[in-house]
Amino acid sequence: MDNYYLTDRFALRVLSPHDCGIVLNFLELNKSYFEPYESKKPDSFYTEAFQYETLMAESNFFIEKSFLRYYIFLNNYPDPVGTVSYKKVSKPKVRTMSLGYKLDHRFWGMGLAFESISFLSGLIFREHIADKLEAVVQPDNFKSIKLLKRLGFSHRFGDIKKYDLASGTVMHDIYYLTP
């Protein structure tokens, strides 16, 4: 996988630690939209130092192909409007990666998540980085479920995971995609 891709509508980039300021701005701007679906963050999460260290670690994981995070940049817009990530998970005999994504609330409904996930997932499969993708979603996150189904993900009844979020323990459904 390359660290930069350009399409007609957007660029997908792996960021360096020096981009910690724009990542922090993206996260702070969308904090109230993201936090209901995420685990509790450490007090230092919303600092440039924390984001610098996170981007440093992600750079190393990218080289190993164990965690890939791309930021979505609209053409002619300087700040990221979203992120798509893939994390290796242990599954016997099948190379599986877990999909994660976030989109700036001001850009919802524009097809950016669909297009960027479609593009990157296709590369993940073509480059044989994973044989299967999984996405873990709260059952009441109807927009994400609709997106996953549109992308071709399917859910098998009973496939669930328990996560401790800032709001408490929540059951999540698991959706799968294979090439």
Side-chain angles (χ1 to χ4, degrees):
M1 300 275 297
D2 293 332
N3 61 5
Y4 179 83
Y5 296 99
L6 184 63
T7 73
D8 290 339
R9 285 188 59 191
F10 54 82
L12 296 164
R13 290 179 32 208
V14 175
L15 298 183
S16 78
H18 300 291
D19 295 310
C20 60
I22 62 171
V23 170
L24 181 58
N25 289 339
F26 167 73
L27 294 170
E28 286 178 326
L29 180 65
N30 292 281
K31 181 178 181 178
S32 65
Y33 296 92
F34 297 159
E35 283 192 347
Y37 302 102
E38 297 181 331
S39 59
K40 185 169 174 30
K41 305 293 185 212
D43 292 339
S44 61
F45 183 80
Y46 292 100
T47 65
E48 281 197 19
F50 189 94
Q51 296 308 318
Y52 182 93
E53 292 300 321
T54 299
L55 289 167
M56 180 72 75
E58 288 179 2
S59 295
N60 293 328
F61 295 142
F62 182 84
I63 293 166
E64 300 167 2
K65 302 286 188 265
S66 61
F67 182 83
L68 312 168
R69 182 185 307 278
Y70 288 86
Y71 286 84
I72 306 166
F73 288 84
L74 286 178
N75 298 339
N76 302 318
Y77 191 78
D79 296 321
V81 299
T83 176
V84 178
S85 63
Y86 299 87
K87 176 184 173 186
K88 280 192 180 178
V89 293
S90 298
K91 297 285 182 184
K93 299 181 184 178
V94 179
R95 293 173 300 164
T96 304
M97 295 190 95
S98 183
L99 168 68
Y101 50 90
K102 297 178 184 182
L103 192 63
D104 184 319
H105 70 279
R106 298 172 299 169
F107 298 92
W108 290 356
M110 297 174 60
L112 293 170
F114 178 83
E115 288 179 46
S116 57
I117 294 169
S118 293
F119 181 87
L120 290 169
S121 296
L123 290 173
I124 294 282
F125 289 136
R126 278 193 300 281
E127 295 190 19
H128 306 287
I129 295 170
D131 303 312
K132 183 182 202 179
L133 297 177
E134 70 176 30
V136 182
V137 61
Q138 291 181 28
D140 64 347
N141 189 345
F142 302 113
K143 288 184 179 184
S144 279
I145 292 169
K146 181 179 176 183
L147 171 63
L148 292 171
K149 288 181 177 179
R150 202 168 147 230
L151 287 162
F153 281 77
S154 60
H155 172 65
R156 290 190 304 252
F157 182 76
D159 282 351
I160 57 173
K161 281 188 181 179
K162 187 182 341 180
Y163 282 93
D164 292 324
L165 304 182
S167 61
T169 301
V170 179
M171 300 306 286
H172 288 65
D173 291 327
I174 307 171
Y175 286 74
Y176 300 98
L177 179 67
T178 55

